[in-house]
Amino acid sequence: MLANLSSALQRIVVFAPNPSDTFNADFAELQHIFPSADFTVIDPNQTAWLLSHSDTTSLNWGEAVNQLRRNQFEAAIILTAPGYSPYTLGYLCYLAAIPIRIGSSYEFGGQVLSHCLKPQEPFLQQIAHQT
């Protein structure tokens, strides 16, 4: 499904669930999987407000989409905490015309994610296996 992407992708945005030693290890693994890619990691606090379901927090979708488009990302990797859906960020990336949107979910989300991996094994191991 993701075959031969590791050498082709140059600009990848990564949405991180939280700052931790685990994320640092995961990010090092991503750099190993995609050795020539330029990564942009979205700050976990920014990710939190993008994922917020609160009525008091409103997302300026137009600005968020435009910001992502300006960066001309080729792929988005959406790392969510267990129990959180990748589809809000996947949809944002879809609207920003990011062609490859990778996330992990048990639910079906249409084509919001171009590559939806079931959370049966560690997410990054699935990406490595598929590339």
Side-chain angles (χ1 to χ4, degrees), residues 37-104:
D38 176 26
F39 289 94
T40 299
V41 178
I42 301 296
D43 180 87
N45 292 325
Q46 292 173 325
T47 301
W49 70 259
L50 285 172
L51 292 172
S52 174
H53 297 291
S54 168
D55 291 336
T56 60
T57 304
S58 60
L59 170 62
N60 183 337
W61 282 83
E63 181 55 35
V65 167
N66 288 334
Q67 180 66 34
L68 288 171
R69 277 191 184 152
R70 281 192 291 272
N71 286 290
Q72 300 178 335
F73 293 114
E74 297 169 314
I77 297 174
I78 303 164
L79 305 173
T80 52
Y84 286 86
S85 172
Y87 292 112
T88 300
L89 291 172
Y91 186 59
L92 182 67
C93 294
Y94 171 82
L95 293 174
I98 298 174
I100 299 170
R101 300 167 307 280
I102 304 169
S104 180

Side-chain angles (χ1 to χ4, degrees), residues 27-44:
F27 186 68
E29 189 172 341
L30 278 176
Q31 290 175 314
H32 177 73
I33 295 168
F34 301 101
S36 62
D38 176 26
F39 289 94
T40 299
V41 178
I42 301 296
D43 180 87

